[in-house]
Coordinates of all heavy atoms in Angstrom, one line a residue:
F1 N -16.2 -4.7 2.0 CA -16.1 -6.1 1.4 C -15.0 -6.4 0.6 O -14.9 -7.0 -0.3 CB -17.5 -6.5 0.7 CG -18.6 -6.6 1.6 CD1 -19.5 -5.4 1.8 CD2 -18.8 -7.7 2.4 CE1 -20.5 -5.5 2.7 CE2 -19.9 -7.8 3.3 CZ -20.7 -6.7 3.4
T2 N -13.8 -5.5 0.9 CA -12.6 -5.8 0.2 C -11.6 -6.2 1.3 O -11.4 -5.5 2.2 CB -12.0 -4.6 -0.5 OG1 -13.0 -4.2 -1.6 CG2 -10.7 -4.8 -1.2
I3 N -11.0 -7.4 1.0 CA -9.9 -7.9 1.9 C -8.6 -7.7 1.2 O -8.3 -8.5 0.2 CB -10.3 -9.3 2.4 CG1 -11.5 -9.4 3.2 CG2 -9.0 -9.9 3.1 CD1 -11.9 -10.7 3.6
A4 N -7.8 -6.7 1.5 CA -6.6 -6.5 0.8 C -5.4 -6.4 1.7 O -5.5 -5.8 2.7 CB -6.8 -5.1 0.1
F5 N -4.3 -7.0 1.3 CA -3.1 -7.0 2.1 C -1.9 -7.6 1.4 O -2.1 -8.1 0.2 CB -3.2 -7.9 3.4 CG -3.5 -9.4 3.1 CD1 -2.5 -10.3 3.0 CD2 -4.8 -9.9 2.9 CE1 -2.6 -11.7 2.8 CE2 -5.0 -11.1 2.6 CZ -3.9 -12.1 2.6
N6 N -0.8 -7.3 1.9 CA 0.4 -7.8 1.3 C 1.1 -8.7 2.3 O 1.3 -8.4 3.4 CB 1.5 -6.6 0.9 CG 1.0 -5.7 -0.2 OD1 0.5 -6.1 -1.1 ND2 1.2 -4.3 0.1
V7 N 1.4 -9.9 1.6 CA 2.0 -11.0 2.5 C 3.2 -10.5 3.2 O 3.5 -10.9 4.4 CB 2.2 -12.3 1.7 CG1 2.9 -13.3 2.5 CG2 1.0 -12.8 1.0
S8 N 4.2 -9.8 2.5 CA 5.4 -9.5 3.0 C 5.2 -8.2 4.1 O 6.4 -7.9 4.7 CB 6.4 -9.1 2.0 OG 5.9 -7.9 1.2
Q9 N 4.0 -7.7 4.3 CA 3.9 -6.6 5.2 C 2.9 -7.0 6.3 O 1.7 -6.8 6.2 CB 3.4 -5.4 4.5 CG 4.4 -4.7 3.4 CD 4.0 -3.7 2.7 OE1 2.8 -3.6 2.2 NE2 4.7 -2.6 2.5
P10 N 3.3 -7.5 7.4 CA 2.4 -8.1 8.5 C 1.4 -7.0 8.9 O 0.4 -7.3 9.4 CB 3.4 -8.4 9.5 CG 4.6 -8.8 9.0 CD 4.7 -7.9 7.7
N11 N 1.7 -5.6 8.9 CA 0.9 -4.7 9.5 C -0.4 -4.5 8.6 O -1.4 -4.0 9.1 CB 1.6 -3.4 9.5 CG 2.0 -2.9 8.2 OD1 2.8 -3.6 7.5 ND2 1.6 -1.5 7.7
T12 N -0.3 -5.1 7.3 CA -1.6 -5.0 6.4 C -2.4 -6.1 6.7 O -3.7 -6.0 6.4 CB -1.0 -5.1 5.0 OG1 -0.4 -6.3 4.6 CG2 -0.1 -3.8 4.6
W13 N -2.0 -7.2 7.1 CA -3.0 -8.4 7.3 C -3.2 -8.7 9.0 O -4.2 -9.3 9.2 CB -2.4 -9.7 6.8 CG -1.0 -10.1 6.9 CD1 0.0 -9.9 6.1 CD2 -0.4 -10.7 8.0 NE1 1.2 -10.5 6.5 CE2 1.0 -10.9 7.7 CE3 -0.8 -11.2 9.3 CZ2 1.8 -11.7 8.7 CZ3 -0.1 -11.9 10.1 CH2 1.3 -12.1 9.8
Q14 N -2.4 -8.1 9.8 CA -2.6 -8.2 11.2 C -4.1 -7.9 11.7 O -4.6 -8.5 12.6 CB -1.6 -7.7 12.0 CG -1.5 -8.0 13.5 CD -1.3 -9.5 13.7 OE1 -0.3 -10.0 13.1 NE2 -2.0 -10.2 14.6
P15 N -4.6 -6.7 11.2 CA -6.0 -6.4 11.8 C -7.0 -7.4 11.3 O -7.8 -7.6 12.1 CB -6.2 -5.1 11.0 CG -4.8 -4.5 10.7 CD -4.0 -5.7 10.4
Y16 N -6.8 -8.1 10.3 CA -7.7 -9.2 9.9 C -7.5 -10.3 10.8 O -8.6 -11.0 11.2 CB -7.6 -9.7 8.5 CG -7.7 -8.7 7.4 CD1 -6.7 -8.1 6.6 CD2 -9.0 -8.1 7.1 CE1 -6.9 -7.2 5.7 CE2 -9.2 -7.2 6.1 CZ -8.3 -6.7 5.4 OH -8.4 -5.8 4.5
V17 N -6.4 -10.7 11.2 CA -6.1 -11.8 12.2 C -6.6 -11.5 13.5 O -7.3 -12.3 14.2 CB -4.6 -12.1 12.2 CG1 -4.2 -13.0 13.3 CG2 -4.1 -12.5 10.9
D18 N -6.5 -10.3 14.0 CA -6.9 -9.9 15.3 C -8.5 -10.0 15.3 O -9.1 -10.3 16.2 CB -6.5 -8.4 15.7 CG -5.0 -8.4 15.8 OD1 -4.3 -9.4 16.1 OD2 -4.5 -7.2 15.8
S19 N -9.2 -9.5 14.2 CA -10.5 -9.5 14.1 C -11.0 -11.0 14.2 O -12.1 -11.3 14.8 CB -11.0 -8.9 12.9 OG -12.3 -9.0 12.7
M20 N -10.4 -12.0 13.5 CA -10.7 -13.3 13.4 C -10.6 -13.9 14.9 O -11.6 -14.6 15.4 CB -9.9 -14.1 12.6 CG -10.2 -13.7 11.2 SD -11.6 -14.5 10.4 CE -10.9 -16.3 9.9
H21 N -9.6 -13.7 15.6 CA -9.4 -14.2 17.0 C -10.5 -13.6 18.0 O -11.0 -14.3 18.8 CB -8.1 -13.9 17.5 CG -6.9 -14.8 17.0 ND1 -6.9 -16.1 17.4 CD2 -5.9 -14.6 16.2 CE1 -5.9 -16.6 16.8 NE2 -5.1 -15.7 16.1
H22 N -10.8 -12.4 17.7 CA -11.8 -11.8 18.6 C -13.1 -12.4 18.3 O -13.9 -12.7 19.3 CB -11.9 -10.2 18.3 CG -12.9 -9.5 19.1 ND1 -12.8 -9.2 20.4 CD2 -14.1 -9.0 18.8 CE1 -13.9 -8.7 20.9 NE2 -14.8 -8.5 19.9
F23 N -13.5 -12.5 17.1 CA -14.7 -13.2 16.7 C -14.9 -14.6 17.2 O -16.0 -15.0 17.7 CB -15.0 -13.1 15.3 CG -16.3 -13.7 14.7 CD1 -17.5 -13.1 15.0 CD2 -16.3 -15.0 14.1 CE1 -18.6 -13.8 14.5 CE2 -17.4 -15.5 13.7 CZ -18.7 -14.9 13.9
L24 N -13.8 -15.3 17.1 CA -13.8 -16.8 17.5 C -13.7 -17.1 19.0 O -13.7 -18.2 19.4 CB -12.8 -17.6 16.8 CG -13.1 -17.8 15.2 CD1 -11.9 -18.4 14.5 CD2 -14.4 -18.6 15.0
A25 N -13.4 -16.0 19.8 CA -13.2 -16.3 21.3 C -14.4 -17.0 21.9 O -14.2 -17.9 22.7 CB -13.0 -14.9 21.9
A26 N -15.6 -16.7 21.4 CA -16.8 -17.4 22.0 C -16.9 -18.9 21.6 O -17.7 -19.6 22.1 CB -18.1 -16.7 21.6
Y27 N -16.1 -19.2 20.5 CA -16.2 -20.6 20.0 C -15.0 -21.4 20.6 O -14.9 -22.7 20.2 CB -16.0 -20.6 18.5 CG -17.2 -19.9 17.7 CD1 -17.4 -18.6 17.6 CD2 -18.3 -20.8 17.2 CE1 -18.4 -18.0 16.9 CE2 -19.4 -20.2 16.6 CZ -19.5 -18.9 16.4 OH -20.5 -18.3 15.9
D28 N -14.3 -20.9 21.5 CA -13.2 -21.7 22.0 C -13.7 -23.0 22.6 O -14.9 -23.0 23.3 CB -12.5 -21.0 23.2 CG -11.5 -19.9 22.7 OD1 -11.2 -19.9 21.5 OD2 -11.1 -19.0 23.5
D29 N -13.0 -24.1 22.4 CA -13.5 -25.4 22.8 C -13.9 -25.5 24.3 O -14.9 -26.1 24.6 CB -12.4 -26.5 22.5 CG -12.2 -26.7 21.0 OD1 -12.7 -25.8 20.1 OD2 -11.8 -27.7 20.5
K30 N -13.1 -24.9 25.1 CA -13.4 -25.0 26.5 C -14.8 -24.3 26.8 O -15.5 -24.8 27.7 CB -12.3 -24.4 27.3 CG -11.0 -25.4 27.4 CD -9.9 -24.9 28.4 CE -8.7 -25.7 28.4 NZ -7.6 -25.2 29.2
I31 N -14.9 -23.1 26.3 CA -16.1 -22.3 26.5 C -17.4 -23.0 26.0 O -18.4 -23.3 26.8 CB -16.0 -21.0 25.8 CG1 -14.9 -20.1 26.5 CG2 -17.3 -20.2 26.0 CD1 -14.7 -18.7 25.8
Q32 N -17.2 -23.7 24.8 CA -18.4 -24.4 24.3 C -18.6 -25.7 25.2 O -19.7 -26.0 25.4 CB -18.0 -24.9 22.9 CG -18.0 -23.7 21.8 CD -19.5 -23.2 21.6 OE1 -20.4 -23.9 21.5 NE2 -19.5 -21.9 21.8
E33 N -17.6 -26.3 25.6 CA -17.8 -27.5 26.5 C -18.5 -27.2 27.8 O -19.3 -27.9 28.4 CB -16.4 -28.2 26.8 CG -16.0 -28.9 25.4 CD -14.6 -29.4 25.6 OE1 -14.0 -29.1 26.8 OE2 -14.0 -30.1 24.8
E34 N -18.2 -26.0 28.4 CA -18.7 -25.4 29.7 C -20.2 -25.1 29.4 O -21.1 -25.4 30.3 CB -17.9 -24.4 30.1 CG -16.6 -24.8 30.7 CD -15.7 -23.6 31.0 OE1 -16.3 -22.6 30.9 OE2 -14.5 -23.9 31.4
K35 N -20.5 -24.4 28.3 CA -21.8 -23.7 28.3 C -22.8 -24.6 27.4 O -24.1 -24.5 27.7 CB -21.7 -22.4 27.6 CG -21.0 -21.4 28.4 CD -21.0 -20.1 27.7 CE -20.3 -18.9 28.6 NZ -20.4 -17.7 27.9
N36 N -22.4 -25.4 26.4 CA -23.2 -26.1 25.6 C -23.1 -27.6 25.6 O -22.3 -28.1 26.2 CB -23.1 -25.4 24.2 CG -23.5 -24.1 24.0 OD1 -24.2 -23.5 24.8 ND2 -22.8 -23.3 23.2
I37 N -24.1 -28.2 24.8 CA -24.1 -29.7 24.9 C -23.7 -30.3 23.7 O -23.8 -29.7 22.6 CB -25.5 -30.1 25.3 CG1 -26.6 -29.8 24.3 CG2 -25.9 -29.6 26.7 CD1 -27.9 -30.4 24.4
E38 N -23.4 -31.5 23.6 CA -23.1 -32.3 22.4 C -24.4 -32.8 21.8 O -25.2 -33.2 22.5 CB -22.2 -33.5 22.6 CG -20.8 -33.1 23.0 CD -19.9 -34.4 23.0 OE1 -20.1 -35.3 22.3 OE2 -19.0 -34.3 23.8

């Protein structure tokens, strides 16, 4: 539960970004429109 990175060093924050994209893949607008209802 520690999120630590240096802004000037992309390699320190890129893993967090990749994790976020992976987690949100199921929430993509097109996927939600195809599978779920308003």
Side-chain angles (χ1 to χ4, degrees):
F1 294 96
T2 296
I3 295 177
F5 62 93
N6 292 323
V7 176
S8 59
Q9 298 176 316
N11 64 303
T12 62
W13 49 258
Q14 191 63 48
Y16 298 114
V17 171
D18 293 341
S19 175
M20 291 280 276
H21 279 295
H22 178 75
F23 177 73
L24 287 174
Y27 292 85
D28 283 346
D29 287 21
K30 288 184 178 180
I31 292 176
Q32 287 293 311
E33 289 169 0
E34 291 172 359
K35 292 186 175 182
N36 297 331
I37 65 171
E38 290 188 33

